[in-house]
Amino acid sequence: MERHGAYLNGVWVVATELVPNVNPSDVTDVIGLFADADQELLDQAVVAARSAQPGWAAQSPQVRADLLDRVGAAIDADATALGTLLAREEGKTLPEAIGEVRRAAQIFRFHAGEALRLVGDFQDSIRAGVSVTHVREPVGVVGVITPWNFPISIPAWKCAPALAHGNTVILKPAELVPASAIALAEILDRAGCPPGVFNVVTGRGSNIGAHLVSHPDIDAVTFTGSEEVGVSIAAATAGRLVRVQLELGGKNPLVVMADADLDLAVDCAVDGAFMSTGQRCTATSRIYVEEPIYQIFVDRLLARTESLRIGHALDPATQIGPVVDGRQLAHVVDRIEGARALTDVQVHGGRHVRAATDGHFLTPAVVIGAGNECEINRSETFGPVASVQSVADLDQAIKRANDTAYGLVAGICTSSLRAATEFRRRADTGIVTVNLPTAGVDPHVAFGGRKRSGFGPKEQGRYAQEFYTQVKTAYERA
Ligand code: NAP
Ligand code: MG
């Protein structure tokens, strides 16, 4: 069994405690033993990142660009192996996993360009003979805490811009998916990343995650994960005035208008709700269908849902892989059973099923007739569950769609430009989609939510520099 340590200051450090990384498609398949690092190891990583930071910031931007470019190329070259590893540890299907890996490569390449595109500006002062420049400088040492559902692309979209702009990084990946983060560290190491610039420490969030967030020598924390942990991080960083970026949960609506292309609408619903086993912060969880097509849409959605093949992530026939672990499975089943117990609510699917291998398999669930007040429509489930309701018109659909604590993505399927435009204007979310699944896939545009879905500057694309740089205003008299 392979044993993996932490990567800090350019070397692999053995931890005393190790934990098995188990394949959710087959719990007899153990991917390796990974460090359950203690706070002392994390402290060492912070020291390494701190001492490497000034040198990294002083490098030519071309050096940073070249490193990120080599990392992007290496990820692409290894996409099948990395995707297989990711599918084994997280449970999404192999094509989904390879797609995620390729996206991580695109992100590194995009931010290779960003390293060279950092611009300031120059202007005259209102005082004669004085000029003013704005420049963007690195923030310093960035703590990166990531969830289990995108084991390589979320680390990529936080670490690549951090490094591009001259910061150094300590990545704390989710405990369930350490292998992809360690593989990323191996790639950065092989690509010639200087010691201390990029560090990965694996272990428990409640232990080293909390320690990282409250560490006095961290300048910024970027986090993707649950609302509960996000709120605790906001509180921990506020007292020290450390900048923080939080990407949290979603309860994303999809509106289907009577004039929609029905095939397209069903495709959007199935993809949005069930792909990646519904374990996406952008997953469609509430579907509002205009009354005239409500019944035909439900019939079509149920037929498609029942035809989906659930199984081992590496089986080419599989369309939906397992839930990530037993605890998450119990949580999702509990939510589904809560809905099933309601009067006048029907639940199709949503059963824990056996397959050829011993994995955490769950059939996708369609909930019919639960109102917005029901728990299934209020709190994030983070599993393959979609709840469908009928609505009278666009106005009612938008009001119901916005009736939530979250604000990540909202989608509409319609052939009316007027309806699409009105929806885009009134949807209270960070992302809107029209005739597409609820998702945020492009690496070059902003990603992030409103309300309880996100806090702080947006991620990705050119917007990433808001978080990973700080503006300096310089007045100069010649
Ligand atoms: P989580 O429990 O909040 O964990 C996220 C990360 O935080 C993990 O690395 C975790 O470590 C760490 N952590 C846990 N407790 C901590 C603490 N007290 N201090 C510091 N770090 C701590 O979330 P998850 O279960 O991994 O992921 C699912 C959640 O993420 C869902 O709610 C989903 O909506 C959200 N999500 C949001 C987005 C977005 O962009 N908006 C994207 C993906 C996922 P351990 O793994 O060791 O516990
Ligand atoms: Mg695992």
Side-chain angles (χ1 to χ4, degrees):
M1 181 75 49
E2 265 200 78
R3 295 161 171 264
H4 302 268
Y7 178 71
L8 53 98
N9 211 18
V11 293
W12 295 95
V13 180
V14 181
T16 34
E17 298 293 324
L18 293 166
V19 283
N21 181 359
V22 176
N23 181 345
S25 296
D26 175 1
V27 297
T28 64
D29 176 26
V30 177
I31 294 147
L33 296 173
F34 289 82
D36 179 12
D38 56 20
Q39 299 187 359
E40 203 188 311
L41 258 189
L42 190 100
D43 288 339
Q44 289 174 32
V46 176
V47 169
R50 174 58 65 199
S51 67
Q53 201 274 324
W56 183 240
Q59 273 291 1
S60 155
Q62 188 67 57
V63 169
R64 293 195 290 272
D66 290 346
L67 174 72
L68 298 186
D69 206 40
R70 289 195 298 275
V71 171
I75 292 173
D76 251 341
D78 236 2
T80 305
L82 289 167
T84 306
L85 182 68
L86 197 162
R88 261 178 90 200
E89 75 170 344
E90 199 270 353
K92 64 183 63 173
T93 65
L94 184 60
E96 288 173 328
I98 292 174
E100 184 187 331
V101 168
R102 293 219 180 271
R103 184 166 171 209
Q106 285 176 324
I107 290 164
F108 271 96
R109 288 181 154 141
F110 177 84
H111 288 288
E114 283 295 274
L116 294 169
R117 274 191 293 265
L118 248 201
V119 290
D121 63 44
F122 173 94
Q123 54 218 288
D124 286 330
S125 162
I126 56 168
R127 290 169 287 174
V130 174
S131 62
V132 186
T133 54
H134 288 128
V135 290
R136 286 188 177 270
E137 297 185 339
V139 176
V141 177
V142 180
V144 173
I145 301 179
T146 53
W148 47 261
N149 62 336
F150 285 97
I152 196 161
S153 68
I154 293 181
W157 83 50
K158 294 177 184 297
C159 297
L163 298 174
H165 297 314
N167 304 282
T168 54
V169 166
I170 295 136
L171 168 62
K172 203 307 273 178
E175 212 187 329
L176 291 174
V177 293
S180 297
I182 291 299
L184 185 61
E186 284 164 357
I187 287 172
L188 271 128
D189 186 62
R190 280 202 306 273
C193 182
V197 167
F198 179 78
N199 308 274
V200 178
V201 185
T202 59
R204 280 166 292 130
S206 55
N207 182 21
I208 57 164
H211 189 58
L212 180 63
V213 160
S214 53
H215 200 291
D217 217 15
I218 293 285
D219 300 304
V221 176
T222 177
F223 168 85
T224 298
S226 63
E227 189 187 335
E228 187 191 353
V229 174
V231 168
S232 80
I233 291 177
T237 48
R240 289 178 298 120
L241 301 180
V242 162
R243 69 169 63 186
V244 65
Q245 178 181 55
L246 308 173
E247 289 299 341
L248 309 171
K251 199 70 206 170
N252 310 296
L254 175 72
V255 170
V256 180
M257 299 298 289
D259 61 21
D261 174 331
L262 199 57
D263 290 334
L264 178 78
V266 172
D267 282 349
C268 287
V270 168
D271 182 311
F274 304 137
M275 292 305 115
S276 299
T277 321
Q279 299 177 140
R280 293 190 287 204
C281 52
T282 56
T284 299
S285 60
R286 300 176 292 138
I287 306 177
Y288 299 100
V289 186
E290 221 181 358
E291 175 53 39
I293 59 154
Y294 175 72
Q295 199 51 53
I296 181 163
F297 177 87
V298 167
D299 293 345
R300 299 273 290 275
L301 178 65
L302 288 176
R304 273 291 295 287
T305 303
E306 279 155 21
S307 77
L308 293 167
R309 287 183 302 266
I310 291 95
H312 196 295
L314 297 179
D315 178 345
T318 295
Q319 291 168 292
I320 299 184
V323 172
V324 73
D325 74 346
R327 224 180 90 197
Q328 185 66 16
L329 177 69
H331 158 77
V332 177
V333 166
D334 189 57
R335 277 290 163 73
I336 294 169
E337 292 313 313
R340 221 188 289 275
L342 299 171
T343 43
D344 300 328
V345 171
Q346 290 170 284
V347 178
H348 299 259
R351 303 287 186 187
H352 179 195
V353 287
R354 312 248 158 247
T357 49
D358 186 6
H360 307 296
F361 301 107
L362 178 67
T363 56
V366 177
V367 179
I368 313 265
N372 259 15
E373 70 289 351
C374 297
E375 159 104 297
I376 199 79
N377 289 323
R378 298 219 77 80
S379 354
E380 183 172 58
T381 310
F382 224 59
V385 185
S387 165
V388 194
Q389 299 179 50
S390 122
V391 286
D393 54 21
L394 180 63
D395 183 64
Q396 188 180 47
I398 294 173
K399 284 178 180 150
R400 293 242 189 119
N402 284 337
D403 170 27
T404 173
Y406 296 101
L408 187 51
V409 195
I412 187 169
C413 288
T414 180
S415 57
S416 157
L417 178 61
R418 209 176 130 262
T421 303
E422 183 170 347
F423 186 78
R424 169 170 59 74
R425 291 208 176 111
R426 289 175 59 194
D428 196 4
T429 52
I431 301 169
V432 174
T433 59
V434 177
N435 294 325
L436 289 163
T438 56
V441 292
D442 285 20
H444 64 303
V445 301
F447 181 89
R450 298 179 180 177
K451 293 156 83 177
R452 296 190 79 79
S453 290
F455 183 74
K458 297 274 177 201
E459 298 200 86
Q460 301 208 56
R462 301 233 68 195
Y463 286 85
Q465 63 175 265
E466 289 306 320
F467 184 72
Y468 296 104
T469 64
Q470 46 190 345
V471 172
K472 179 179 278 175
T473 310
Y475 292 92
E476 290 172 273
R477 177 153 53 201

